[in-house]
């Protein structure tokens, strides 16, 4: 879920094989941006609703979900998830989250979840990707 725009997030989701994505949709008329958003604005409450919807759609409880966020508009979503992770977040978000990651590497979250580097490398290798060496 993003307070950003679907014209960007949908493409990222497709490229990364992410099954669910929700963001604001910019209105485009005759190839030009109008400055308006189509549909509901993806705000703090909408992010939490989307988490509930996505979880229900795949048949898992909210307690089985993980949410990652960095700003105040993520607080409801982080609270709704079984595990809310503040990622390089503002203090108010770090204080409200279950866990906090303060390094610029998203793969740190995999380790937080108990997934080893070896498991990541094996999964990457299965799809033909070579995991880069960690920075020194």
């Amino acid at each position: 879920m993003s307070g950003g725009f679907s014209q960007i997030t949908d493409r990222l989701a497709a490229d990364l094989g992410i099954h669910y994505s929700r963001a604001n949709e910019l209105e485009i008329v005759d190839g030009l941006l109008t400055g308006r958003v189509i549909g509901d604005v993806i705000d703090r409450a909408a992010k939490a609703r989307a988490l509930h919807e996505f979880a229900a759609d795949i048949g898992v409880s909210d307690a089985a979900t993980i949410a990652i966020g960095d700003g105040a508009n993520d607080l409801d979503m982080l609270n709704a998830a079984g595990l809310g992770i503040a990622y390089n977040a503002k203090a108010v978000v770090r204080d409200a989250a279950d866990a906090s990651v303060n390094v610029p590497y998203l793969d740190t979250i995999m380790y937080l979840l108990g997934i080893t580097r070896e498991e990541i490398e094996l999964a990457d290798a299965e799809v033909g990707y070579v995991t880069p060496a960690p920075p020194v």
Side-chain angles (χ1 to χ4, degrees):
M1 281 76 72
S2 173
F5 300 103
S6 62
Q7 286 83 352
I8 296 169
T9 59
D10 288 352
R11 201 165 171 187
L12 286 171
D15 289 350
L16 297 171
I18 295 171
H19 300 288
Y20 294 92
S21 174
R22 180 130 343 135
N24 297 299
E25 183 178 352
L26 290 170
E27 182 181 61
I28 301 172
V29 176
D30 297 325
L32 300 172
L33 294 172
T34 66
R36 292 188 289 269
V37 172
I38 298 172
D40 295 333
V41 171
I42 305 305
D43 58 10
R44 181 175 168 163
K47 287 182 175 189
R49 282 193 306 274
L51 181 131
H52 294 301
E53 291 171 23
F54 296 164
D57 190 54
I58 62 171
V60 301
S61 69
D62 290 349
T65 64
I66 299 167
I68 303 167
D70 68 346
N73 66 338
D74 297 315
L75 287 171
D76 292 359
M77 175 183 67
L78 294 172
N79 187 53
L83 175 62
I85 302 172
Y87 179 70
N88 292 323
K90 297 170 177 70
V92 67
V93 179
R94 289 192 311 266
D95 293 345
D98 300 309
S100 182
V101 173
N102 296 306
V103 295
Y105 308 105
L106 279 171
D107 59 350
T108 302
I109 293 167
M110 303 296 277
Y111 307 122
L112 176 68
L113 299 175
I115 301 169
T116 67
R117 178 164 180 83
E118 291 75 22
E119 290 170 314
I120 292 170
E121 289 175 355
L122 180 62
D124 284 349
E126 287 177 3
V127 295
Y129 183 76
V130 177
T131 308
V136 206

